[in-house]
Amino acid sequence: MSGISKVDAIQVFDSRGIPTISCKITLDCGVSASAMVPSGASTGSKEALELRDNGINYHGKGVLQAVSNINEKLAPLLIGIDPSDQAEIDNMLIGFDGTEDKSTMGANAILAISLAVAHAAAKEKNIPLYEYFSNLYKEITGDYLKPSIPMPMFNILNGGEHADNNIDIQEFMIIPSGAKDFSEIMRWSSEIYHHLKNILLSKQYLTAVGDEGGFAPSLKSNEEAIKLIIESIEASNLKPGKDVHIALDCAASEFFDGEKYILKSENIKLTSAEFISYLKNLVGKYPIISIEDALDEDDLEGWKLITKELGNDCQLVGDDLFVTNEKILSNGVKQGIANSILIKFNQVGSITETIKTIHCANENKFKSIISHRSGETEDTTIADLAVGLGVGQIKTGAPCRSDRIAKYNRLLWIEHESTDILLNE
Ligand code: 2PG
Ligand code: MG
């Protein structure tokens, strides 16, 4: 074993040009590795706290305090420790912070270290990062999961908080479920994406993109977005509902006013039950197999109802609802809401807690989808996490823009180099 000899963090920038943290860990043996943390726009209210500087610089979004927390307060705790003691390190950082939401040190500070530790430990052992995560899952939970290549959800049309258009639903995604391997998945998604661009152009719609690389035109309705996507799948000589399915992320908390779901693109206000009927109608008409944050994170009665009405036909994913938090997820399971969870490690703030939440999901037969944030970097850790834990699904934006493509490119390399790791069934 080679102990940690240096922990160094700096402020860098994410895909929206907003400050974030990059942390580098060096070991006695000379090995060093770094990682960067992502950041959300449509955040759940119970997420761990992302520490920002406030003040006037960077519109209040600097992370120099969190960087200094790493360099001045947390780094000294880590010197000499074996980086493969991931759980011990994460727990020590959480204990030092001392709050439920990591607000003393900042969840971004703790996660930056947690990720860099994982990279350094894998590098020291000379194993791929996904194998490190697979071993770590076993170490933390006692269970083994077979590594596999995840099926992506490509967000090819952006709305909500991720775009400046009029579309209410935040993400319209394609799932190339009929593709035979990851290379084919990428071909199909790239072809569909570029057909969509041509179709938008032919209708004189804008082809500027939103935060996650999907197109962001203003349209007549949310349904029109789905129609355009169906058209682009067909233009690629693929069959909607057979080769390619559709997934939505409503991010509904963003358009719920406490009483009604306000769809500004259609100029309507719906009660929870009416909005569920609206979604049921879409599921009946189009090959939609997954809906994330269909309802507001506090509309638990609505969640119970939709789970009853759509839970057998559709993957119902809790993102803002569960915020990658084991306790909140177990509560949700008890209440019979949703059947799947979106996993974003910065919602909870460490690798160890992320793994425990995925374990809780597995124990309760909930599906896990590893996810990026709308503010991303070139860091590709989530691709390895999805492979190593064999969760089966990843959501990391459009097949466009390097902050999104970096993860898909990493998956292409894993597929190329590891012939024993296959596409998840
Ligand atoms: C989401 C995410 C990622 P954000 O809602 O699922 O797509 O968006 O990072 O803005 O929360
Ligand atoms: Mg979401």
Side-chain angles (χ1 to χ4, degrees):
M1 94 85 179
S2 173
I4 295 174
S5 59
K6 192 173 179 197
V7 179
D8 196 8
I10 61 168
Q11 176 172 278
V12 293
F13 292 83
D14 72 15
S15 54
R16 281 192 277 251
I18 288 176
T20 188
I21 305 172
S22 176
C23 179
K24 185 174 182 182
I25 299 238
T26 308
L27 308 181
D28 292 323
C29 62
V31 160
S32 71
S34 61
M36 282 171 272
V37 298
S39 173
S42 66
T43 49
S45 67
K46 299 182 194 77
E47 292 191 18
L49 185 109
E50 184 180 70
L51 192 64
R52 297 279 176 192
D53 297 336
N54 302 317
I56 52 165
N57 291 345
Y58 306 106
H59 302 269
K61 299 217 163 156
V63 291
L64 294 174
Q65 184 57 51
V67 163
S68 139
N69 288 348
I70 294 178
N71 293 335
E72 308 301 324
K73 297 184 178 141
L74 299 171
L77 308 174
L78 296 163
I79 304 305
I81 295 185
D82 181 350
S84 48
D85 288 337
Q86 179 92 46
E88 207 176 290
I89 292 174
D90 288 345
N91 291 333
M92 180 175 71
L93 300 175
I94 295 164
F96 183 85
D97 173 85
T99 61
E100 252 320 275
D101 63 354
K102 302 185 176 61
S103 48
T104 322
M105 291 295 111
N108 41 353
I110 292 174
L111 181 67
I113 296 177
S114 185
L115 296 177
V117 162
H119 280 268
K123 214 164 165 188
E124 198 234 333
K125 289 183 198 301
N126 204 15
I127 56 171
L129 187 60
Y130 62 78
E131 192 178 323
Y132 172 80
F133 284 136
S134 173
N135 297 342
L136 186 63
Y137 186 86
K138 191 158 180 221
E139 198 183 301
I140 293 176
T141 68
D143 289 345
Y144 172 72
L145 298 172
K146 193 173 155 24
S148 62
I149 306 272
M151 174 58 67
M153 297 176 170
F154 294 94
N155 179 8
I156 61 172
L157 207 146
N158 296 184
E161 288 298 298
H162 297 167
D164 295 324
N165 57 1
N166 68 340
I167 295 301
D168 311 283
I169 292 180
Q170 181 179 278
E171 300 170 24
F172 295 84
M173 296 173 278
I174 48 166
I175 307 176
S177 21
K180 64 177 185 308
D181 56 25
F182 201 73
S183 306
E184 190 162 72
I185 284 173
M186 288 311 295
R187 179 168 69 80
W188 288 8
S189 67
S190 163
E191 290 176 3
I192 295 167
Y193 182 83
H194 288 99
H195 275 297
L196 179 58
K197 180 171 186 169
N198 291 336
I199 290 168
L200 291 171
L201 283 172
S202 72
K203 298 184 193 296
Q204 270 114 47
Y205 284 137
L206 280 181
T207 55
V209 300
D211 285 354
E212 299 191 344
F215 299 109
S218 280
L219 302 171
K220 291 175 205 77
S221 65
N222 293 289
E223 185 170 353
E224 189 185 6
I226 303 175
K227 284 188 180 150
L228 291 164
I229 289 174
I230 296 285
E231 219 182 296
S232 61
I233 296 170
E234 285 165 345
S236 310
N237 286 323
L238 293 165
K239 289 209 168 52
K242 180 168 174 277
D243 301 318
V244 184
H245 290 89
I246 291 179
L248 304 176
D249 179 3
C250 297
S253 295
E254 302 296 332
F255 54 84
F256 184 62
D257 72 353
E259 275 180 28
K260 296 270 177 81
Y261 291 88
I262 301 175
L263 302 182
K264 65 174 187 305
S265 66
E266 297 169 33
N267 204 12
I268 47 174
K269 296 183 180 186
L270 304 175
T271 63
S272 190
E274 286 165 350
F275 189 52
I276 292 169
S277 304
Y278 174 97
L279 291 172
K280 268 180 86 177
N281 172 49
L282 293 179
V283 172
K285 273 167 98 172
Y286 303 100
I288 298 170
I289 56 169
S290 179
I291 307 179
E292 181 184 327
D293 282 350
L295 298 161
D296 174 65
E297 62 175 74
D298 292 319
D299 182 4
L300 299 187
E301 289 313 309
W303 272 103
K304 283 181 199 160
L305 183 63
I306 196 169
T307 308
K308 256 193 223 127
E309 304 226 334
L310 272 178
N312 291 329
D313 309 325
C314 215
Q315 175 169 270
L316 297 174
V317 187
D319 168 17
D320 293 352
L321 181 69
F322 297 137
V323 290
T324 314
N325 182 307
E326 190 189 356
K327 266 192 224 150
I328 300 177
L329 173 62
S330 337
N331 266 335
V333 170
K334 276 186 211 125
Q335 297 187 68
I337 54 174
N339 56 28
S340 309
I341 177 171
L342 201 77
I343 299 289
K344 295 162 162 172
F345 41 45
N346 83 319
Q347 284 182 322
V348 63
S350 74
I351 288 287
T352 300
E353 290 159 294
T354 302
I355 284 182
K356 286 186 180 159
T357 303
I358 294 172
H359 183 245
C360 172
N362 288 337
E363 296 273 279
N364 289 291
K365 308 232 167 342
F366 267 47
K367 298 260 172 60
S368 295
I369 300 127
I370 305 288
S371 172
H372 65 161
R373 297 307 306 245
S374 50
E376 266 295 333
T377 67
E378 61 272 34
D379 188 291
T380 60
T381 312
I382 58 167
D384 285 79
L385 188 69
V387 171
L389 304 194
V391 294
Q393 296 178 75
I394 191 168
K395 159 175 126 153
T396 183
C400 180
R401 301 284 150 187
S402 292
D403 38 311
R404 314 298 144 183
I405 282 293
K407 283 71 163 169
Y408 298 126
N409 286 345
R410 169 70 184 142
L411 291 170
L412 283 166
W413 269 109
I414 296 175
E415 175 177 78
H416 177 71
E417 288 184 334
S418 332
T419 42
D420 55 328
I421 300 185
L422 302 174
L423 188 60
N424 194 282
E425 287 300 304

